[in-house]
Amino acid sequence: PADNPQAVVRAANLLTDAHGFQIAKTRVTISTVGPSPDSFVTLGKAPVALTWSVHASEASLRKQLVPTTKYSMVELRQGFIEAMLNQPKKLRTTMLEVALIDNVNDDAKDAEHLANFALEMVDQVPGLKLMVNLIPFNDIGHPTYRKPSMERVKNYKMC
């Protein structure tokens, strides 16, 4: 959605308009990998929740997992923070999404890095409620990427 953020914002407005579909603003979420800080800022103008599929907060690993990444994680985080600051407080519930991949981004170091990365957002956005959605990779027979064990997922959560 972030490749055409203006259209996504228009769609969110139509979905939540009192004379349109009348879906509650708190029931609609835009999820994106965040191709640019500006796309976050534009998407933050939508009257709905915004989530970010980070998959890894450490720059080189994220570049491996999201090869379309052109901006640093610090730049993207700042765009996301700006988007959250422009949201009304009732829409400042957000989620960072991570597809956990066995022995790629599912160890304690990755969890700690993500926690510190996320804390910066919480510190800068008053009233931000941030959740992390851990999604074990769906094993589809990829030669490199595999589903992590439930033990690794639980250990990641405990960090």
Side-chain angles (χ1 to χ4, degrees):
D3 286 336
N4 193 359
Q6 294 85 2
V8 174
V9 171
R10 275 195 314 274
N13 281 311
L14 288 170
L15 289 169
T16 59
D17 186 90
H19 302 291
F21 288 92
Q22 302 177 7
I23 299 173
K25 294 173 182 177
T26 56
R27 299 259 182 212
V28 179
T29 301
I30 297 169
S31 177
T32 180
V33 294
S36 75
D38 290 339
S39 64
F40 278 137
V41 173
T42 300
L43 291 171
K45 295 175 183 172
V48 300
L50 180 61
T51 67
W52 183 8
S53 298
V54 290
H55 303 306
S57 57
E58 192 278 317
S60 62
L61 180 55
R62 184 163 198 274
K63 183 68 175 167
Q64 174 188 337
L65 297 174
V66 185
T68 57
T69 298
K70 294 180 180 149
Y71 296 89
S72 74
M73 290 302 286
V74 171
E75 291 170 309
L76 290 169
R77 179 178 58 199
Q78 199 53 46
F80 195 80
I81 287 169
E82 190 174 332
M84 290 293 101
L85 288 170
N86 289 328
Q87 290 277 28
K89 287 192 178 181
K90 69 180 181 180
L91 290 177
R92 288 188 184 171
T93 297
T94 191
M95 191 179 315
L96 297 180
E97 300 163 329
V98 179
L100 290 178
I101 304 168
D102 188 44
N103 290 310
V104 174
N105 66 343
D106 65 340
D107 65 20
K109 170 184 63 75
D110 298 310
E112 289 171 18
H113 197 278
L114 180 65
N116 291 327
F117 183 83
L119 282 174
E120 186 71 26
M121 292 194 274
V122 173
D123 289 344
Q124 289 191 36
V125 181
L128 181 67
K129 295 175 187 165
L130 188 142
M131 295 170 279
V132 176
N133 184 17
L134 301 178
I135 308 163
F137 183 77
N138 187 15
D139 196 343
I140 56 172
H142 191 279
T144 306
Y145 298 148
R146 294 173 310 280
K147 182 177 184 169
S149 68
M150 287 314 296
E151 181 179 337
R152 288 187 72 86
V153 174
K154 287 178 187 175
N155 288 341
Y156 190 101
K157 285 181 184 180
M158 300 306 294
C159 291

